[in-house]
Amino acid sequence: MLPADIVWRPSTGIGYEHVTVREENNQILIDSIVIGSQNTNDIFRVKYDIVLDKSWVTRAVAIHYLGEDPGLRLSSDGNGIWKDEQGQVVPELSGCVDIDISCTPFTNTLPINRLSYEPSRQQEIQVVYISAADLSYKQVKQNYTLLESGKDSSIFRYQSGNFTENITVDSSGIVVVYPDLFYREMGPDAR
C-alpha cells in the first residue's frame, strides 16, 4: 500500500484533503493539507503531520493553520503517555494510543490498521480527539466493529457518543467512503 497519495472531498460544502503516506526509517509518515469551510463559511487551510510506528501506533502529531503559528504538537510513547511540545506530560490524555482529527477521515485508518478484528466484535478505545476548528484536544471514547470483510474492501461501524456511521475502507484499511462526510476521489480504490 505504501507509498500512497490520496484525495478526499467532503460530501457537502467545499473542500479537499490531500494526504501522502510513506515509510521511512521504520516509521509510517503522514503529511496532509486540508482546505475547506466551517459552519460559518470561513475557509480554512490546515496542515497536519503524523508519525506512526510500523504497528500504526501514533508517536507524534503536529497540526497548524497554514500561515499561522504556533500550532499544536503532541508526542506519545506509544503506550498511552502523551507530552506537549515543552515535554510536559498531558495527564488528561493518559491511556490514549490513537488520535482523531476532526477534519479528516484518515485518522479512522489508525485504529482500523492497529487492532485485530473479529466480525461483529466491538472494540472500544480511548483516543486523543483534536478539533480542527480551534486545535483543542480531549480524550474521547470510540468504538469500531467489523461488519463485513472482503478481499478489496471492508465495512466498519464507527461510534463516538451518539454518532454512528458505517465506514468503507480499502484492503489497506484506508477510508474510501465515510457516508455524509467524505468520499475518496483519488488513490487506490477511489469511488
Side-chain angles (χ1 to χ4, degrees):
M1 117 170 203
L2 301 177
D5 272 301
I6 302 157
V7 174
W8 285 282
R9 66 172 169 80
S11 60
T12 60
I14 62 167
Y16 277 98
E17 175 176 9
H18 175 226
V19 66
T20 61
V21 183
R22 69 185 197 285
E23 286 184 87
E24 186 176 296
N25 299 323
N26 290 320
Q27 296 177 319
I28 301 169
L29 305 175
I30 314 305
D31 173 352
S32 180
I33 184 167
V34 182
I35 300 170
S37 66
Q38 312 243 4
N39 295 338
T40 61
N41 290 326
D42 291 334
I43 295 174
F44 66 88
R45 301 178 304 151
V46 172
K47 167 94 169 81
Y48 71 83
D49 297 281
I50 304 170
V51 177
L52 308 169
D53 68 19
K54 297 286 275 182
S55 299
W56 289 85
V57 173
T58 304
R59 303 310 297 262
V61 60
I63 181 170
H64 71 277
Y65 293 110
L66 288 173
E68 296 182 26
D69 283 321
L72 172 66
R73 293 181 182 275
L74 297 170
S75 63
S76 171
D77 68 352
N79 295 308
I81 303 298
W82 290 82
K83 294 182 179 179
D84 61 20
E85 65 182 62
Q86 288 79 35
Q88 300 299 309
V89 172
V90 184
E92 61 266 30
L93 301 180
S94 180
C96 297
V97 175
D98 303 297
I99 60 169
D100 184 1
I101 301 173
S102 66
C103 65
T104 178
F106 182 78
T107 47
N108 295 98
T109 295
L110 308 182
I112 287 172
N113 279 338
R114 182 178 65 79
L115 299 170
S116 297
Y117 289 91
E118 295 176 20
S120 301
R121 192 179 119 228
Q122 181 175 287
Q123 300 249 23
E124 183 177 293
I125 58 174
Q126 295 296 124
V127 305
V128 177
Y129 177 82
I130 301 171
S131 169
D134 59 8
L135 303 186
S136 64
Y137 56 86
K138 64 182 177 181
Q139 184 171 163
V140 299
K141 180 173 71 172
Q142 296 182 346
N143 296 294
Y144 286 84
T145 306
L146 176 62
L147 299 178
E148 295 178 26
S149 180
K151 179 182 169 219
D152 297 325
S153 66
S154 298
I155 299 174
F156 286 83
R157 179 183 305 120
Y158 164 78
Q159 296 173 287
S160 184
N162 294 326
F163 181 81
T164 300
E165 190 59 81
N166 292 343
I167 301 170
T168 302
V169 300
D170 65 15
S171 59
S172 296
I174 298 177
V175 175
V176 177
V177 178
Y178 195 133
D180 300 321
L181 288 177
F182 302 100
Y183 294 91
R184 194 157 82 193
E185 285 199 342
M186 188 177 120
D189 303 325
R191 293 187 182 169

